[in-house]
Amino acid sequence: MKVTKAQAQANRAHVVETASALFRERGYDGVGVADLMAAAGFTHGGFYKHFGSKADLMAESAACGIAQTAALGAGLEPSEFVRLYLSREHRDTRATGCTMAALGGDAARQSEAVRATFAQGIEDLLAALHAHRSSLDGEDAATARAKSIGIFAQAVGALVMSRACPDDSPLADEILTVCRDQILAALATTATVGATTRKRDRQASKG
């Protein structure tokens, strides 16, 4: 039976989503094309009808996973995002978690196209945090971006370090707790300073 264009597009999207989860769970070197296609429910030979190479799929699946995290970040306040990101549940679910934390180390050794995808993904994730910081905390754009970079870098690093520990290690939870509390404290301080600045500006305009 001839596959329609719409079905072919749906099949391709399914392969990308499957790859996104498998790569996050096992790493790029831990998933072969044959295993990937089998997990998606297709034959090995069908892979090259959709993708030129595994590297092409790696870049596209990374974009897919990053977009999921960016969409989540865009819908949450920074403090809510940090609590979710540095939770035990997120730590223990690599396949559906942040692509940056799961594959950032692998990406550094991949092609320019894969690294470019990660760079754009970082920009998208920063934009999600930056939008809230600049609008809610009264910060200028450069300051908000710099602080968003610091927050996200600390959060990703904490998740990577926690996952590097055995699952039953007290250190795994300690890393998450310490970094989560530090970031939340910094966010609270910024919010307080921003509120004070706005109040002062309003009073000055009235005077």
Side-chain angles (χ1 to χ4, degrees):
M1 178 182 296
K2 182 177 177 59
V3 177
T4 65
K5 183 176 180 179
Q7 185 60 55
Q9 291 175 336
N11 291 346
R12 189 179 194 280
H14 178 60
V15 172
V16 171
E17 291 174 359
T18 300
S20 180
L22 285 178
F23 285 146
R24 278 178 276 182
E25 184 177 8
R26 304 180 192 175
Y28 288 130
D29 292 337
V31 183
V33 171
D35 291 338
L36 167 63
M37 293 301 285
F42 302 115
T43 62
H44 183 186
F47 177 85
Y48 294 100
K49 294 179 181 178
H50 300 291
F51 309 98
S53 66
K54 181 181 176 181
D56 291 342
L57 176 58
M58 286 161 56
E60 190 166 342
S61 64
C64 174
I66 292 167
Q68 294 170 356
T69 303
L72 176 62
L76 296 175
E77 300 291 339
S79 59
E80 295 174 319
F81 178 76
V82 169
R83 288 190 181 92
L84 178 62
Y85 194 93
L86 293 180
S87 66
R88 182 72 192 206
E89 180 181 3
H90 186 204
R91 178 206 182 273
D92 293 344
T93 52
R94 286 183 181 84
T96 56
C98 177
T99 299
M100 290 295 168
L103 292 168
D106 281 4
R109 295 182 289 274
Q110 302 304 325
S111 68
E112 188 74 17
V114 172
R115 284 183 286 144
T117 299
F118 274 76
Q120 183 57 56
I122 292 171
E123 289 288 359
D124 293 342
L125 291 165
L126 290 174
L129 289 173
H130 172 89
H132 281 290
R133 294 191 62 83
S134 58
S135 62
L136 297 179
D137 302 333
E139 299 170 327
D140 62 83
T143 300
R145 177 179 171 83
K147 290 185 176 180
S148 293
I149 289 174
I151 288 171
F152 190 55
Q154 184 176 4
V156 171
L159 192 61
V160 171
M161 289 174 62
S162 179
R163 285 176 173 171
C165 300
D167 290 344
D168 58 355
S169 168
L171 180 59
D173 288 324
E174 182 182 10
I175 291 169
L176 295 178
T177 300
V178 168
C179 292
R180 182 174 62 243
D181 290 349
Q182 287 180 350
I183 295 173
L184 291 176
L187 287 171
T189 298
T190 299
T192 299
V193 171
T196 301
T197 300
R198 289 192 296 273
K199 181 178 180 180
R200 184 176 64 244
D201 291 346
R202 286 195 298 269
Q203 291 174 339
S205 65
K206 291 179 181 180

